[in-house]
Amino acid sequence: MIKKTLYFGNPAYLSLRLGQLVLKLPEVEKSNMTGKMKADLERTIPIEDIGIVVLDHKQITITQGLISALLDNTTAVVICNEKRMPSGLLLPLEGNTIQNERFRNQIEISIPQKKQIWQQTIIAKIKNQAYCLQKNTAKSFAPLHVLAKNVRSGDPDNCEAQAAAYYWKNVFEDHPNFTRNKEGTPPNNLLNYGYAILRAVIARALVGSGLLPVYGIHHHNRYNAYCLADDIMEPYRPFIDDLVITLCRQYEIGENLTTDIKREMLCIPTIDVRINGKRSPLMIAASQTTASLAKCFNGESKNVVYPEFP
């Protein structure tokens, strides 16, 4: 079942009632309407149907009971800052019945195993970058396939960076001077927004598989609480790039992202990918990837399953 992604970009009261998220509008609550009229304007959504919640307004009130229920359901809660860009992520501390065992397996994995997993991760990422380039431009994607074949255990030759340099130089044909930089000009802001939603999807899947998002196989920033999510989302990034390219051709992307554009980005969990030879929504694929990673950590498998473009 595909969980819903909910976006709240206006003032709202969010609470819990009988296992349902209850949405009330402040202007309705403060009006002179009768109780029945107010009740008719409420909207309720079953907690079990929700996968991600994005809170994108300073005047949103959410109850502790609702937060607790969302986390019990392994729902990722994304919080946006004053610039209305994702800045925080809430996840449950427990998401799997054998979590303690999986934590130990993850922490005790050997360095050679980490390097092999990272090699698979970078190969999958570069191959997906090649397909994204092929799909959206007339540029040659052959250099990326060459780099993918040359990735060694641990990527000591930094093929990832070489691929990125070529990829970002060519993938945005409509923005010939584009440079990928988190603080750079649009559509960097749209990429940042998409990656934040993707990160929430991957982090949620990791917790659901009983893994520790903070303990990465490659990323080790001491200030990053989601190093493993940043590792595992790498092969998924080109799917976001593909979506951003499409939106850039439909909308004018300014410094401030419009609500309509943000709504378009909420389709990320349902993006169609191919994994294990079958089509699947991205959110389901993420769970398959993290489940396969858990098997690598406990010695059941040597291969992480990553998605490809359909």
Side-chain angles (χ1 to χ4, degrees):
M1 175 182 175
I2 302 298
K3 301 286 187 176
K4 294 180 179 178
T5 300
L6 304 183
Y7 171 83
F8 299 99
N10 294 303
Y13 296 141
L14 305 178
S15 60
L16 177 70
R17 185 174 67 221
L18 300 176
Q20 306 261 330
L21 180 152
V22 180
L23 167 63
K24 298 180 181 180
L25 301 178
E27 59 269 26
V28 173
E29 293 302 300
K30 295 176 182 178
S31 71
N32 295 323
M33 293 182 184
T34 64
K36 183 179 184 306
M37 293 176 67
K38 289 181 180 180
D40 289 341
L41 291 173
E42 289 181 1
R43 183 182 176 188
T44 60
I45 305 167
I47 295 294
E48 62 191 24
D49 292 347
I50 305 171
I52 299 173
V53 173
V54 182
L55 305 177
D56 188 14
H57 200 284
K58 286 186 175 182
Q59 296 179 32
I60 292 175
T61 300
I62 183 169
T63 66
Q64 191 276 340
L66 176 57
I67 293 173
S68 178
L70 290 171
L71 295 181
D72 286 344
N73 185 57
T74 323
T75 299
V77 181
V78 180
I79 302 169
C80 297
N81 59 21
E82 66 278 359
K83 296 181 180 178
R84 310 199 73 170
M85 293 294 288
S87 62
L89 175 63
L90 295 178
L91 288 170
L93 291 176
E94 297 181 359
N96 191 281
T97 55
I98 55 171
Q99 183 166 302
N100 188 45
E101 176 185 335
R102 292 194 170 181
F103 277 5
R104 289 199 307 271
N105 291 336
Q106 178 183 350
I107 292 170
E108 293 171 0
I109 188 173
S110 68
I111 292 178
Q113 286 177 297
K114 284 185 178 183
K115 289 183 176 181
Q116 290 168 9
I117 293 173
W118 187 241
Q119 177 187 26
Q120 295 176 44
T121 302
I122 296 308
I123 290 173
K125 177 183 181 179
I126 296 175
K127 285 183 176 180
N128 283 338
Q129 286 177 325
Y131 190 91
C132 184
L133 192 68
Q134 177 186 6
K135 178 182 177 182
N136 292 291
T137 77
K139 302 291 184 179
S140 173
F141 53 91
L144 294 177
H145 283 298
V146 172
L147 284 167
K149 291 179 180 179
N150 291 336
V151 178
R152 295 187 292 150
S153 179
D155 191 22
D157 306 309
N158 210 355
C159 291
E160 180 189 18
Q162 295 179 57
Y166 182 82
Y167 176 73
W168 290 119
K169 181 180 178 181
N170 294 291
V171 75
F172 281 99
E173 275 194 330
D174 299 333
H175 298 76
N177 297 318
F178 177 80
T179 301
R180 173 59 187 147
N181 186 323
K182 288 185 70 173
E183 306 299 327
T185 58
N188 275 291
N189 54 349
L190 190 53
L191 289 167
N192 295 342
Y193 195 91
Y195 292 155
I197 300 298
L198 174 63
R199 194 184 197 215
V201 172
I202 300 299
R204 176 183 179 274
L206 288 168
V207 171
S209 294
L211 300 177
L212 190 62
V214 70
Y215 193 76
I217 55 175
H218 179 76
H219 290 90
H220 297 290
N221 189 323
R222 63 187 295 184
Y223 303 109
N224 184 355
Y226 302 103
C227 288
L228 187 59
D230 289 343
D231 288 333
I232 301 306
M233 70 184 274
E234 293 293 353
Y236 285 83
R237 287 179 184 266
F239 296 99
I240 309 304
D241 306 340
D242 180 49
L243 175 60
V244 169
I245 292 169
T246 299
L247 293 178
C248 284
R249 291 170 178 169
Q250 296 176 354
Y251 297 91
E252 183 177 345
I253 310 300
E255 293 291 340
N256 296 314
L257 300 179
T258 66
T259 300
D260 287 341
I261 292 174
K262 289 180 179 179
R263 284 200 187 101
E264 294 277 5
M265 299 301 284
L266 298 186
C267 76
I268 287 172
T270 62
I271 289 176
D272 212 16
V273 304
R274 180 174 292 276
I275 190 165
N276 280 324
K278 298 179 180 179
R279 285 179 175 265
S280 171
L282 186 146
M283 179 176 279
I284 302 300
S287 296
Q288 293 182 45
T289 295
T290 58
S292 69
L293 179 64
K295 290 182 179 180
C296 289
F297 287 156
N298 67 19
E300 292 181 48
S301 174
K302 293 183 178 180
N303 298 312
V304 182
V305 178
Y306 282 120
E308 302 171 338
F309 276 80

